Amino acid sequence: MYTAQPPVVATATDTPPRITPLRVLRGAYREFGRGLPYEPDPLHPPLREYLRDLADLHGVGLRAGFDLSTARRTTFVEMAEALVPLLGGADRPMDVVALAHQAPDADFRRSATCRLNDLLPGSPMPFAVSDQGSAAPFTALRLAAAYLSAAAGPRRALVLAADQADLPYDVPLRPEHRIAGDAMAALLVEAGPRNGGGPVATSLVSAGSVARAVPALLERLAVPLRSTFVVLGPGIDPGAVPDAAGGAVLVEPGMPCTGGWVALLDRLARGGLPPYAALLDLAPGQGVLSLALLDLSGVVAETSSGSHVAVPTEHEECVS
């Protein structure tokens, strides 16, 4: 179940619902270095036996050449603890916090969603989406929007996407889909009027039908394409969206969950974007083409490389 919902079987008379934008209040991302060593290990039982037993349980085993005495990692908990303070608008209560990632954390013993529930005001309901490749952040956005549409009071959610490169077990990916580094990106979003089909749509596609499926999804946007900045995941032809405002940006491979969000936030920090953005990505293994429509009219973008943060203060007045 790749999108956490049953598949929709369309008939010739069905009209697909319009894709309506989800309002973004703030965005931030951070890239991380090699992280902390696995050993010496402050937690017990010893991590070496724990990782081996858990990997064997799933039939994958530890990665060839993996050595706990030299390997390092940045856990999702450590990423979240570093990223959340960058989101100045995250000091107000919110309803939901969602974390999307491609594979389980390098250290299974720490729960990033529980830590996020503790870090954020309002004790938001936490959940995680995994094992969907690059479709995971889209599912997290869609589920968060669905929860917000039914919530009372402050209808806000923090949705995070994380990539982690050095895992102790093998992930069944082709070389071009390997993760290049550790990073986390976050979007603070707010519920809007509930009409149409929500901010995220997915389509099951074959390798030969991607070029036809992209325009079909874009035709369902509830906003003009000429008012929309388009970010395309690897393997999607920019020629499929010639009418996008400012053209279309193609994301480099290597960051399946965070790449599209980082490309968007980088452009936001430089300014000059139209009021909407459409993110499209293809999860090759699952054959899932995903699209998310975001309203950027009130966003403040914060980008970070290491510990350096740049805030475009000329947009600060946009955030209430």
Side-chain angles (χ1 to χ4, degrees):
M1 186 162 58
Y2 300 125
T3 56
Q5 66 179 0
V8 177
V9 179
T11 67
T13 59
D14 285 340
T15 300
R18 304 293 282 175
I19 303 169
T20 53
L22 179 65
R23 186 167 186 256
V24 179
L25 300 178
R26 282 181 175 262
Y29 81 85
R30 179 165 178 176
E31 299 168 348
F32 298 85
R34 295 189 60 214
L36 298 174
Y38 281 88
E39 293 183 336
D41 178 29
L43 300 179
H44 296 283
L47 184 58
R48 187 182 304 271
E49 287 77 10
Y50 186 96
L51 289 173
R52 182 180 295 109
D53 290 346
L54 193 57
D56 287 344
L57 181 66
H58 294 276
V60 293
L62 291 181
R63 177 166 52 85
F66 180 77
D67 186 351
L68 280 170
S69 63
T70 58
R72 306 173 73 91
R73 84 281 194 237
T74 309
T75 67
F76 295 151
V77 168
E78 291 159 342
M79 293 185 198
E81 289 175 337
L83 187 65
V84 166
L86 302 182
L87 286 160
D91 55 351
R92 290 169 48 196
M94 61 186 68
D95 295 294
V96 173
V97 57
L99 173 63
H101 45 86
Q102 177 170 267
D105 198 342
D107 191 333
F108 304 91
R109 301 166 301 172
R110 296 173 172 90
S111 171
T113 50
C114 290
R115 181 64 179 127
L116 283 163
N117 173 266
D118 182 58
L119 284 173
L120 297 168
S123 295
M125 184 191 72
F127 65 87
V129 179
S130 185
D131 301 314
Q132 298 185 7
S134 58
F138 294 88
T139 299
L141 279 172
R142 183 184 57 77
L143 292 175
Y147 277 110
L148 293 183
S149 69
R155 300 183 300 164
R156 292 151 54 92
L158 184 64
V159 185
L160 305 102
D163 284 314
Q164 197 176 50
D166 193 11
L167 299 174
Y169 48 85
D170 284 317
V171 178
L173 297 173
R174 294 196 295 267
E176 62 268 27
H177 300 142
R178 297 290 182 184
I179 299 176
D182 294 352
M184 181 174 280
L187 297 176
L188 180 62
V189 299
E190 181 180 64
R194 183 66 174 176
N195 48 36
V200 176
T202 59
S203 178
L204 298 178
V205 298
S206 63
S209 64
V210 175
R212 298 189 302 273
V214 169
L217 276 181
L218 291 172
E219 287 177 1
R220 295 171 52 191
L221 295 180
V223 301
L225 193 56
R226 62 180 178 275
S227 301
T228 305
F229 176 67
V230 178
V231 180
L232 301 175
I236 301 178
D237 182 7
V241 286
D243 298 327
V249 169
L250 185 63
V251 178
E252 293 293 325
M255 306 301 285
C257 286
T258 61
W261 293 18
V262 169
L264 174 62
L265 293 172
D266 276 342
R267 284 295 303 268
L268 273 171
R270 297 200 299 268
L273 281 185
Y276 301 102
L279 308 180
L280 290 104
D281 209 340
L282 176 66
Q286 294 89 347
V288 176
L289 179 67
S290 302
L291 182 148
L293 180 61
L294 304 174
D295 178 355
L296 308 176
S297 58
V299 70
V300 174
E302 303 183 5
T303 62
S304 169
S305 177
S307 60
H308 303 288
V309 182
V311 182
T313 54
E314 64 271 21
H315 296 305
E316 192 70 39
E317 70 276 8
C318 296
V319 178
S320 57

